[in-house]
Amino acid sequence: SQKIEQNSEALNIQEGKTATLTCNYTNYSPAYLQWYRQDPGRGPVFLLLIRENEKEKRKERLKVTFDTTLKQSLFHITASQPADSATYLCALDRGAGSYQLTFGKGTKLSVIP
Amino acid sequence: KAGVTQTPRYLIKTRGQQVTLSCSPISGHRSVSWYQQTPGQGLQFLFEYFSETQRNKGNFPGRFSGRQFSNSRSEMNVSTLELGDSALYLCASSPNPGQGADTQYFGPGTRLTVL
């Protein structure tokens, strides 16, 4: 069966360091992979999207990689700040005609001052 | 542009009752999806609507149903509530219906508690 795993339920990191979050999947062939941020009591907010034929995508302090051979995406936050503390979700999309996203359970990131 | 709105924000019901949740998408977005979020299962897809048609449905029992109106607003209904239905119900709209790379814009959710 299809499985999406975000390796850590929780990750604590010192302010200023780079946070790296992992998303692995099995029995799935996503055309796109997305990362969302969710704060307590709020809906997820879209951060980045990467296509299956892209290796890396960047946006400000954020970087995402996508390795379809390893079936893995890495999400990096450089120079992390306490305001980056939130739960980060990866989501897979099969592409045209799928009409749904499949989410991982998320990694709760805490950036310690 | 106003974001996705959901009403009510909080709801308390008892087992056996039914509930209707409402979602207004971002203006111009015609695709609306619903998700259930619980601590144990995470975000799980319920269904997606576009132009008043359900195009995809997740693995939930028939007690969960939805509909979409001509103005793209959507409602979901849960009948015969069970304790396990307690969750955050999230609605999301998308400007790119089913073409792939469907970035979802989420509402704040409705917190449903079943007693």
Side-chain angles (χ1 to χ4, degrees):
Chain A
S1 62
Q2 296 166 0
K3 212 171 178 185
I4 301 168
E5 284 184 346
Q6 293 190 243
N7 283 15
S8 305
E9 280 192 22
L11 179 65
N12 296 329
I13 193 164
Q14 210 68 35
E15 182 177 4
K17 300 290 186 185
T18 296
T20 298
L21 284 63
T22 305
C23 177
N24 294 290
Y25 58 92
T26 55
N27 298 325
Y28 208 103
S29 298
Y32 308 91
L33 190 145
Q34 304 183 27
W35 284 87
Y36 288 76
R37 168 186 173 139
Q38 187 173 23
D39 291 284
R42 309 190 70 165
V45 174
F46 170 76
L47 296 174
L48 278 171
L49 177 148
I50 188 165
R51 292 169 168 74
E52 60 178 337
N53 60 354
E54 296 177 319
K55 294 291 185 188
E56 183 179 297
K57 206 77 170 284
R58 290 175 186 262
K59 179 183 175 184
E60 298 170 352
R61 294 185 296 111
L62 309 179
K63 183 178 88 171
V64 63
T65 62
F66 193 10
D67 188 326
T68 55
T69 302
L70 289 179
K71 295 186 181 296
Q72 181 182 80
S73 174
L74 299 178
F75 178 79
H76 306 272
I77 305 174
T78 58
S80 58
Q81 305 166 359
D84 295 327
S85 299
T87 295
Y88 292 85
L89 303 159
C90 72
L92 304 183
D93 176 358
R94 281 200 191 86
S98 72
Y99 311 127
Q100 77 173 82
L101 291 178
T102 304
F103 283 84
K105 291 186 180 178
T107 297
K108 184 176 180 180
L109 174 68
S110 297
V111 181
I112 303 161
Chain B
K1 251 184 192 177
V4 177
T5 58
Q6 292 187 246
T7 56
R9 292 292 313 277
Y10 302 92
L11 208 46
I12 299 175
K13 292 284 188 180
T14 56
R15 279 182 299 173
Q17 287 187 308
Q18 75 163 18
V19 67
T20 299
L21 312 181
S22 181
C23 170
S24 292
I26 291 172
S27 177
H29 288 193
R30 294 163 66 192
S31 169
V32 173
S33 299
W34 288 90
Y35 295 83
Q36 181 196 66
Q37 188 173 34
T38 58
Q41 299 299 318
L43 260 167
Q44 293 189 283
F45 173 77
L46 280 158
F47 24 65
E48 187 264 1
Y49 287 89
F50 176 76
S51 291
E52 303 177 67
T53 300
Q54 185 184 92
R55 297 191 299 186
N56 201 358
K57 188 178 191 307
N59 191 23
F60 279 83
R63 300 185 296 107
F64 292 81
S65 63
R67 59 177 175 167
Q68 187 182 34
F69 302 95
S70 58
N71 61 359
S72 295
R73 193 176 68 83
S74 178
E75 287 181 348
M76 68 162 282
N77 183 277
V78 188
S79 62
T80 320
L81 284 165
E82 301 177 358
L83 295 178
D85 296 334
S86 294
L88 181 67
Y89 289 89
L90 291 159
C91 165
S93 70
S94 171
N96 190 10
Q99 300 304 310
D102 279 347
T103 302
Q104 301 278 297
Y105 293 81
F106 284 86
T110 295
R111 171 73 62 186
L112 172 65
T113 302
V114 182
L115 302 176

